Amino acid sequence: MIIFGTKGYLYQLAILTLVCGGCGNPAAHTLRKRVTKFTLFFVPLFPISTKYATQCTFCGTEVKIGKEQAEQLQAQAQAGPHAGHQGQGYGQAQQPYQS
């Protein structure tokens, strides 16, 4: 008998101050990476899916983003709070999600 399946892992990559596309407030957002790994006999072997998202800590809105944008936001977080106009482009990209 072979036992196989998947297991999910959630990593918090950074916390950024961004303008939320849902509520419009400048608030802290967590940048998260969700990795799903294939398991064999409960041992995780290799990743089969990787997804990135940001979540507003003010209203809870979660927005899925691509790997490239996640890497840019993570680099922005590592550069520090005085590294330019943090989050301005992000809020503009999220406007289609507003209702």
Side-chain angles (χ1 to χ4, degrees), residues 6-48:
T6 61
K7 183 173 182 181
Y9 296 88
L10 187 62
Y11 302 99
Q12 182 171 312
L13 302 176
I15 297 179
L16 302 152
T17 302
L18 304 170
V19 177
C20 180
C23 63
N25 290 315
H29 285 66
T30 57
L31 176 60
R32 297 179 178 165
K33 175 181 175 180
R34 182 179 307 273
V35 179
T36 304
K37 292 188 177 184
F38 176 79
T39 62
L40 184 62
F41 294 106
F42 306 104
V43 177
L45 296 177
F46 55 88
I48 57 174

Side-chain angles (χ1 to χ4, degrees), residues 10-95:
L10 187 62
Y11 302 99
Q12 182 171 312
L13 302 176
I15 297 179
L16 302 152
T17 302
L18 304 170
V19 177
C20 180
C23 63
N25 290 315
H29 285 66
T30 57
L31 176 60
R32 297 179 178 165
K33 175 181 175 180
R34 182 179 307 273
V35 179
T36 304
K37 292 188 177 184
F38 176 79
T39 62
L40 184 62
F41 294 106
F42 306 104
V43 177
L45 296 177
F46 55 88
I48 57 174
S49 172
T50 302
K51 297 178 182 179
Y52 296 89
T54 59
Q55 185 174 21
C56 178
T57 58
F58 188 79
C59 69
T61 300
E62 186 171 303
V63 177
K64 294 178 183 174
I65 60 174
K67 181 180 179 180
E68 296 80 20
Q69 189 175 8
E71 289 172 351
Q72 288 174 354
L73 289 173
Q74 190 174 10
Q76 209 174 37
Q78 291 173 351
H82 304 292
H85 56 281
Q86 192 171 15
Q88 290 179 358
Y90 176 83
Q92 293 170 357
Q94 301 309 314
Q95 285 179 356

